Amino acid sequence: MADSRVHPTTADSHPPPPSSSSAATSPKHSTDHPIPPNPLPSKPVPPPATYVVQLPREQILRYPPPENARKFQALTHRKNRRSCCRRCCCFTLCLLVFLVIAAAVSAGVLYLVFRFKSPKYAVTHLAIKGMNLTSAGPISPGFDVTIRAENPNSKVGIYYLKDSSVNVFYNDVKLSSGVLPAFYQPRKNVTVLQTALTGSDVVLGGTVKTALSNAQNQGRIPFVVKTKAPVKIEVGSVKTWEITVKVKCDVVVDGLNQKAQIVFHDCDYSVRLW
């Protein structure tokens, strides 16, 4: 009878390694870790997308970027300064226009209500001394001038203030100067003013001396008397602001002495309201 014995397996005995075919066909029965599959080839990364953001123009101008904030503040401050200057100029111009309109309205009211008439002025006498045309040096001529001022208004008085001036010219050469006295001229009044004008170190050129000599020989020597006086108009119990009256009189005399007679005179005047 054949001997049939079963031999137990020991720790030293190892089973034969599985074949490659058996490992490939039956991975479930393998005691080792599974082999990972080969990685797939990496896909190309697409470029980042580009986005266009549209903002309102007002928002762009109102909120500048940080790098331009300082420039924006400087431009804003400059615009504010220009705006203030324009406002001041506009205010000044409006004020001047208002004053002109107010003056015109006041003059119109005076004329319509009180029938204001212009004063009348005339040079009635002109005595001359010190006009030595043969002197080689400077001369000191003097003129005694008599001026007639008439106020034809029945409801308006005139205050003649100080700081007036009276000058005598010949061919734009000032010969003598002086002032008028301050006085009040009532309604419907004629006032005669006498003032002494003096000059010093007046140099007459050869052309001026020749013209004066020729005029003296003809008995017609023309002079110009210019008067400037600050005045105030009184209407009832109300006085106006200070007004400057300028009077220019063309006077022709027959000699260069104290007995000279006026052969022609013509005066006109202008008024400056401020």
Side-chain angles (χ1 to χ4, degrees), residues 10-267:
T10 61
D12 293 335
S13 62
H14 297 283
S19 63
S20 60
S21 60
S22 62
T25 55
S26 59
K28 295 181 181 180
H29 300 284
S30 174
T31 59
D32 296 336
H33 294 288
I35 299 174
N38 294 331
L40 298 175
S42 59
K43 296 181 180 180
V45 180
T50 302
Y51 299 94
V52 178
V53 179
Q54 295 184 353
L55 296 177
R57 185 174 182 180
E58 295 78 5
Q59 187 175 359
I60 296 176
L61 295 178
R62 190 176 303 170
Y63 301 102
E67 60 270 13
N68 294 337
R70 185 175 303 175
K71 184 177 180 181
F72 176 76
Q73 292 178 359
L75 292 175
T76 304
H77 181 67
R78 187 180 303 174
K79 290 181 180 179
N80 292 336
R81 187 184 306 172
R82 291 179 179 176
S83 179
C84 293
C85 294
R86 290 176 181 175
R87 290 178 183 175
C88 292
C89 293
C90 291
F91 176 77
T92 304
L93 182 60
C94 292
L95 181 60
L96 291 177
V97 172
F98 174 76
L99 291 177
V100 171
I101 294 175
V105 171
S106 300
V109 170
L110 287 176
Y111 177 77
L112 294 176
V113 175
F114 299 99
R115 298 297 180 180
F116 182 79
K117 299 178 181 179
S118 301
K120 298 178 181 179
Y121 303 96
V123 176
T124 58
H125 183 68
L126 194 67
I128 306 170
K129 53 187 177 182
M131 289 291 294
N132 187 3
L133 301 181
T134 60
S135 175
I139 61 176
S140 299
F143 292 80
D144 294 332
V145 181
T146 303
I147 299 176
R148 181 180 184 272
E150 178 183 357
N151 179 14
N153 298 280
S154 59
K155 299 180 179 180
V156 176
I158 303 175
Y159 283 91
Y160 289 86
L161 310 177
K162 60 180 182 179
D163 296 332
S164 62
S165 63
V166 183
N167 300 294
V168 176
F169 294 85
Y170 178 81
N171 284 354
D172 296 331
V173 178
K174 186 167 72 172
L175 303 177
S176 299
S177 60
V179 297
L180 290 176
F183 68 98
Y184 169 73
Q185 187 173 28
R187 305 165 180 82
K188 286 286 186 177
N189 176 264
V190 176
T191 303
V192 178
L193 305 172
Q194 294 181 348
T195 180
L197 312 182
T198 59
S200 61
D201 297 331
V202 177
V203 178
L204 300 178
T207 304
V208 176
K209 286 184 177 181
T210 302
L212 277 173
S213 298
N214 295 335
Q216 185 177 18
N217 294 333
Q218 297 175 2
R220 295 182 64 87
I221 306 148
F223 292 102
V224 177
V225 180
K226 294 183 179 181
T227 304
K228 183 174 68 173
V231 302
K232 286 186 177 182
I233 306 299
E234 181 188 45
V235 181
S237 59
V238 179
K239 295 181 184 178
T240 64
W241 60 92
E242 185 175 305
I243 302 172
T244 301
V245 176
K246 295 182 179 180
V247 182
K248 177 184 176 183
C249 295
D250 296 320
V251 182
V252 178
V253 296
D254 59 357
L256 296 176
N257 49 57
Q258 296 186 10
K259 297 181 180 181
Q261 299 294 323
I262 295 177
V263 297
F264 173 82
H265 69 86
D266 181 34
C267 296

